[in-house]
């Protein structure tokens, strides 16, 4: 890429601003041109400036990130950043590139950027993760995972070859996964979309096992599957 993509961050949380700024600084294809503490400040900036990517917090006072996204130049890309999962459907309805849940890991950040820059260098491409199991770190390739199940104080990762048990919580694993291919369907289940056999409004079938889809996740799951 001959030029860097210009980025604007809009977030009323200082820690979130700091984290995203550090991630952008570490990504060679990006540069930050403006950091705003609220949507009003961003609107003033947008009157005389343009950007390629906007990172928008959703739950901000006076003007929300969802409202701001509606008036951003359609040529720009929008990535929502929020602590609230329930806004996911609204975010994707606004044609957002991605929807990042705080606290955002660098791996998850890179996965979102890959949707904008598909020709990223191989060194930044993430298609595996390491998890701690049996006193060692085990490498798991994403495309071998069938589904992940949370059971009280441990998590099972069911792959095409074996089942791996780890003490990591399911939310931390969710942050490590490639977002396009994995989807949370229940507080206890994450599934790999490519391995799905069928689905209804209540269950997803993977390798002859019916996994329940919970009410709180159903709307965003069905919305996502309808786009596949």
């Amino acid at each position: 890429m001959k030029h860097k993509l210009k980025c604007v961050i809009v977030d009323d949380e200082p820690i979130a601003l700091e984290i995203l700024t550090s991630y952008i600084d570490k990504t060679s294809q990006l540069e930050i041109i403006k950091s705003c503490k609220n949507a009003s400040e961003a609107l003033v900036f947008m009157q005389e400036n343009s950007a390629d990517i906007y990172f928008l917090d959703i739950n901000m006072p006076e003007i929300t990130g969802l409202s701001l996204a509606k008036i951003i130049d359609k040529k720009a890309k929008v990535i929502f950043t929020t602590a609230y999962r329930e806004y996911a459907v609204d975010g994707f309805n606004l044609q957002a590139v991605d929807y990042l849940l705080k606290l955002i890991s660098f791996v998850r950040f890179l996965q979102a950027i890959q949707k904008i820059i598909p020709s990223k260098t191989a060194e930044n491409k993430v298609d595996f993760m390491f998890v701690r199991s049996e006193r060692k770190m085990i490498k798991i390739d994403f495309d071998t995972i069938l589904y992940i199940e949370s059971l009280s104080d441990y998590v099972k990762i069911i792959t095409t070859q074996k089942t791996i048990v780890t003490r990591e919580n399911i939310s931390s694993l969710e942050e490590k996964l490639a977002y396009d291919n994995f989807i949370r369907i229940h507080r206890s289940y994450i599934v790999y979309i490519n391995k799905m056999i069928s689905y209804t409004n209540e269950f997803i079938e993977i390798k002859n096992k019916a996994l329940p889809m919970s009410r709180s996740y159903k709307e965003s799951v069905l919305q996502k599957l309808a786009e596949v």
Side-chain angles (χ1 to χ4, degrees):
M1 181 172 291
K2 295 182 180 180
H3 67 280
K4 294 186 177 184
L5 297 180
K6 297 181 291 184
C7 302
V8 172
I9 306 172
V10 187
D11 201 309
D12 62 345
E13 298 179 22
I15 293 178
L17 285 172
E18 182 178 344
I19 290 173
L20 285 173
T21 297
S22 69
Y23 290 172
I24 292 170
D25 288 341
K26 289 193 291 186
T27 308
S28 60
Q29 298 93 339
L30 308 179
E31 66 173 336
I32 184 167
I33 61 170
K34 183 66 175 177
S35 179
C36 304
K37 297 178 181 178
N38 54 61
S40 298
E41 186 179 344
L43 285 172
V44 173
F45 173 81
M46 288 163 51
Q47 290 177 0
E48 298 184 357
N49 302 275
S50 62
D52 300 302
I53 307 173
Y54 287 86
F55 294 89
L56 305 182
D57 185 18
I58 289 182
N59 192 22
M60 294 185 291
E62 296 183 2
I63 303 174
T64 68
L66 292 171
S67 297
L68 183 60
K70 295 176 182 179
I71 57 178
I72 286 176
D73 188 332
K74 299 303 180 183
K75 295 179 182 179
K77 305 296 184 182
V78 171
I79 296 176
F80 286 114
T81 63
T82 182
Y84 302 95
R85 184 184 300 276
E86 59 265 29
Y87 295 118
V89 173
D90 291 332
F92 285 118
N93 284 341
L94 289 171
Q95 308 302 312
V97 171
D98 211 332
Y99 186 96
L100 306 183
L101 289 172
K102 299 175 180 177
L103 292 168
I104 303 162
S105 70
F106 187 47
V107 168
R108 184 67 186 84
F109 172 85
L110 288 177
Q111 289 164 358
I113 298 304
Q114 283 179 335
K115 298 180 181 182
I116 300 172
I117 315 173
S119 58
K120 285 173 54 59
T121 56
E123 64 188 21
N124 280 338
K125 185 177 181 181
V126 180
D127 56 7
F128 63 90
M129 66 179 174
F130 283 95
V131 299
R132 183 175 295 280
S133 180
E134 299 178 352
R135 298 184 179 181
K136 57 185 176 182
M137 300 302 292
I138 298 176
K139 180 182 177 183
I140 303 176
D141 293 323
F142 289 156
D143 61 6
T144 67
I145 296 174
L146 297 174
Y147 64 92
I148 297 173
E149 180 179 6
S150 177
L151 296 167
S152 62
D153 59 348
Y154 65 94
V155 171
K156 292 198 304 183
I157 303 170
I158 294 84
T159 75
T160 52
Q161 291 93 24
K162 58 184 177 180
T163 296
I164 298 155
V165 177
T166 178
R167 292 285 182 177
E168 292 192 46
N169 64 64
I170 194 168
S171 294
S172 67
L173 292 179
E174 184 180 16
E175 284 296 310
K176 296 180 180 180
L177 297 169
Y179 193 76
D180 272 350
N181 297 325
F182 290 88
I183 188 166
R184 185 87 170 261
I185 65 168
H186 189 281
R187 62 179 298 183
S188 299
Y189 292 103
I190 298 173
V191 302
Y192 184 30
I193 294 176
N194 291 14
K195 296 294 196 297
M196 287 174 49
I197 296 173
S198 65
Y199 72 91
T200 68
N201 288 346
E202 297 179 348
F203 296 95
I204 287 179
E205 182 184 3
I206 293 184
K207 199 177 181 180
N208 299 321
K209 184 176 179 64
L211 303 177
M213 190 188 310
S214 69
R215 183 176 303 175
S216 59
Y217 287 90
K218 181 179 296 186
E219 185 177 2
S220 59
V221 170
L222 295 177
Q223 174 78 18
K224 179 71 174 178
L225 293 178
E227 297 171 358
V228 174

